[in-house]
Amino acid sequence: MIHEHQSSVIAQSAYSDGMIFLTFFNSGQTYRYDGTPLRVHEGLLSASSIGRYFSQHIRDQFTGVIASMPDFLNTETPEFKIDDPNHPVINWGLW
């Protein structure tokens, strides 16, 4: 899920599989920080100053690379019924 922030530094953040995605207000650019524990993103979400938290816990500890905010992070996990024709059940077989 993408989190919107009331910060002068970071507009959005998201976390997925050891990666934090941050979109910055000044450039509008999104960066991906690999190898980040979930607790780092949780700390960002609960910080009284998101910009200060970023400076102290992310910027110099993890390498950021320009990325795009993944589309799959833009929504919550969908709920659907097994008999819903708009969301068919996938039979994965015996791969």
Side-chain angles (χ1 to χ4, degrees):
M1 175 166 62
I2 297 174
H3 300 272
E4 303 287 333
H5 297 288
Q6 298 297 318
S7 165
S8 60
V9 178
I10 296 173
Q12 297 177 321
S13 70
Y15 183 86
S16 179
D17 297 323
M19 298 176 287
I20 290 179
F21 295 86
L22 300 175
T23 301
F24 292 86
F25 268 118
N26 61 350
S27 67
Q29 187 64 57
T30 299
Y31 287 81
R32 184 188 75 230
Y33 296 85
D34 295 335
T36 53
L38 177 58
R39 66 178 163 74
V40 173
H41 188 246
E42 291 170 341
L44 181 80
L45 296 178
S46 64
S48 59
S49 170
I50 292 171
R52 184 177 306 128
Y53 186 90
F54 168 75
S55 295
Q56 294 174 346
H57 300 280
I58 300 173
R59 182 177 57 197
D60 296 330
Q61 282 74 25
F62 303 96
T63 301
V65 295
I66 295 174
S68 297
M69 192 66 78
D71 289 336
F72 69 86
L73 294 174
N74 204 15
T75 59
E76 304 242 3
T77 304
E79 293 184 22
F80 59 91
K81 299 176 184 171
I82 291 180
D83 60 349
D84 184 344
N86 295 318
H87 296 91
V89 174
I90 297 172
N91 183 350
W92 292 103
L94 299 173
W95 295 33

